[in-house]
Amino acid sequence: MSSLPKFEDHSRQEVKYSTCYMCACRCGIKVTVENNKVRFIQGNRNHPINKGVLCAKGNSGIMKQVSPAKLKAPMLRKQGAERGSGEFEIISWDQALDILTERLRKIRETDPKKLAFFTGRDQMQALTGMWATQFGTNNWAAHGGFCSVNMAAAGLYTMGHAFWEFGDPDWDRTKYFMMWGVAEDHASNPIKLGLEKLKRRGGKFVSVNPVRTGYQAIADEWVGIRPGTDAMLALSMIHVLLRNDQFDWDYLVRYTNAIQLVVCTPGQKGDGLILRDENGKPLCWDLEQETFVDATQPDVKPALFGEYTAPDGRPVKTVMTLIAEKYLDEQYSPENAEKVTGVPAEQIERLALEMEHVAFK
Ligand code: SF4
């Protein structure tokens, strides 16, 4: 009689619950550990962010522990080895700290700003930033500065809150979702789940991206833009909306600085600055009182467009007037934007008007 096949002995395995940190989404994960080593990672079905889904990047999180390329100790280029030859030897932490202390001391004694200090995706940017400023350099940054922080800032300005990676867009009510320039290695599970929800409800998903892989593959409309020209596309869409008089007047008045007055004295001191009262408050023109008032007060009846003369005689215009003057210019017309972005003029016009239709009709 043949013996029964032997399976793995799971008795020494235990499951730890955590969150994935391979991107900013923080999906819930179940990590199977054996002999104090990570065996594999699975999605946690009970986690509200990802509901059990784990992307390829999340799965490969195990490589943070087991990759043969992982640095386990400080390494120093071998004496006499050419830079780039890849010949290193392991040194102790004490040696590494001595070398760095000596180098940093020299920089600090001469010009601390010569230190460019960059940290990766970590949870202690406040600490590393404090260290850098104490050292005396303002040349410091971290991963978030050109990744999630910008995204969070845009989220705050557009949706009123941040971190769309966590699935913040209102997937239950969104009718039109336009995604711009998301990196190819970005694989947010909350967004995937949200897109599925949106598409099942019949919402439209438009993706602006030079390539058509990743999320773009399931977009209802792909806008294959020339790399680096997103701003022109956005400004041309603003041009179309302005030309068609389609913007949210109440929103601009209530939540933006569109009503504030800007000093217009080209070539002179103060040009381009917001007009302020003696307490530093930004001013707007109140249509009922017919005078300059504090633009931050909730009960003002401000002019969104207009040119006025400030009490000190300087000409001023509302922010919105300057925006309209600038972006109604022909250089931002869809025809000209097509030459820059490669996106056909009719498509630019239609996308802007589709957005307007969803927002206002
Ligand atoms: S989307 Fe992928 S990489 Fe990002 S946290 Fe979730 S599993 Fe990890």
Side-chain angles (χ1 to χ4, degrees):
M1 198 174 90
S2 61
S3 59
L4 288 171
K6 278 197 168 173
F7 293 106
E8 272 182 64
D9 175 10
H10 294 274
S11 62
R12 288 189 310 275
Q13 290 185 348
E14 51 180 334
V15 172
K16 305 275 187 190
Y17 289 88
S18 184
T19 51
C20 175
Y21 201 25
M22 296 297 280
C23 85
C25 299
R26 318 289 197 278
C27 293
I29 52 174
K30 273 168 65 181
V31 184
T32 298
V33 178
E34 189 176 317
N35 293 336
N36 222 17
K37 289 205 172 77
V38 178
R39 270 300 306 276
F40 52 88
I41 302 172
Q42 294 167 296
N44 176 359
R45 285 178 187 277
N46 297 320
H47 197 279
I49 293 283
N50 58 321
K51 300 184 175 66
V53 180
L54 193 70
C55 76
K57 228 167 27 164
N59 270 294
S60 64
I62 190 172
M63 295 310 277
K64 281 199 158 189
Q65 298 296 323
V66 302
S67 167
K70 180 174 169 154
L71 274 182
K72 296 185 177 138
M75 298 180 82
L76 185 69
R77 193 164 64 242
K78 282 186 179 158
Q79 200 82 36
E82 281 294 311
R83 192 187 187 102
S85 63
E87 292 177 64
F88 293 98
E89 60 188 356
I90 290 177
I91 57 171
S92 71
W93 280 106
D94 281 344
Q95 274 176 288
L97 287 170
D98 286 346
I99 293 169
L100 286 175
T101 306
E102 186 49 31
R103 274 193 206 165
L104 289 172
R105 181 182 293 121
K106 274 192 199 140
I107 296 173
R108 199 169 192 210
E109 280 167 4
T110 48
D111 182 359
K113 290 194 292 304
K114 284 187 178 161
L115 176 71
F117 187 61
F118 183 84
T119 52
R121 172 174 268 171
D122 57 41
Q123 290 288 344
M124 44 172 199
Q125 287 168 24
L127 188 64
T128 50
M130 191 173 78
W131 183 90
T133 40
Q134 292 300 313
F135 184 86
T137 181
N138 49 9
N139 292 318
W140 61 274
H143 169 101
F146 44 81
C147 177
S148 48
V149 173
N150 308 315
M151 175 188 70
L156 279 168
Y157 280 118
T158 53
M159 300 188 292
H161 52 153
F163 276 110
W164 69 307
E165 278 181 310
F166 293 138
D168 262 1
D170 188 351
W171 300 111
D172 292 321
R173 276 171 280 262
T174 300
K175 294 180 187 155
Y176 197 88
F177 185 68
M178 191 177 267
M179 179 184 264
W180 291 61
V182 172
E184 271 315 279
D185 65 339
H186 190 283
S188 158
N189 287 328
I191 293 177
K192 282 183 223 149
L193 294 169
L195 285 173
E196 187 203 353
K197 230 182 200 184
L198 174 95
K199 287 179 70 93
R200 280 192 193 283
R201 284 196 304 100
K204 181 167 179 180
F205 169 32
V206 179
S207 183
V208 180
N209 206 308
V211 293
R212 199 175 187 179
T213 51
Y215 299 119
Q216 286 62 244
I218 59 157
D220 297 298
E221 182 170 350
W222 170 57
V223 185
I225 191 168
R226 190 169 288 141
T229 63
D230 299 34
M232 184 50 149
L233 176 63
L235 295 174
S236 184
M237 288 168 77
I238 289 173
H239 174 98
V240 174
L241 294 174
L242 285 168
R243 211 176 50 197
N244 288 277
D245 196 16
Q246 293 296 335
F247 46 90
D248 189 339
W249 184 290
D250 292 337
Y251 182 92
L252 290 174
V253 168
R254 185 158 179 196
Y255 295 110
T256 75
N257 69 354
I259 58 170
Q260 294 179 15
L261 293 160
V262 179
V263 176
C264 299
T265 50
Q268 291 174 40
K269 198 173 162 211
D271 180 45
L273 296 182
I274 297 283
L275 184 70
R276 294 178 185 275
D277 65 13
E278 59 282 2
N279 299 316
K281 297 284 188 188
L283 293 172
C284 67
W285 179 259
D286 189 294
L287 291 166
E288 278 182 3
Q289 299 180 56
E290 297 201 341
T291 186
F292 296 99
V293 294
D294 175 358
T296 62
Q297 291 305 307
D299 52 353
V300 291
K301 298 283 176 288
L304 192 53
F305 289 96
E307 303 181 34
Y308 305 91
T309 303
D312 61 8
R314 291 181 297 174
V316 291
K317 293 180 185 178
T318 67
V319 168
M320 196 62 201
T321 304
L322 292 170
I323 288 177
E325 281 176 1
K326 178 151 188 177
Y327 298 115
L328 276 171
D329 189 277
E330 264 311 289
Q331 67 168 305
Y332 299 105
S333 69
E335 291 70 27
N336 279 325
E338 175 178 343
K339 292 178 200 146
V340 178
T341 62
V343 181
E346 317 80 68
Q347 194 177 13
I348 298 175
E349 177 111 17
R350 178 175 51 73
L351 289 172
L353 295 179
E354 276 181 8
M355 269 176 37
E356 168 266 310
H357 181 83
V358 171
F360 301 124
K361 304 270 164 64

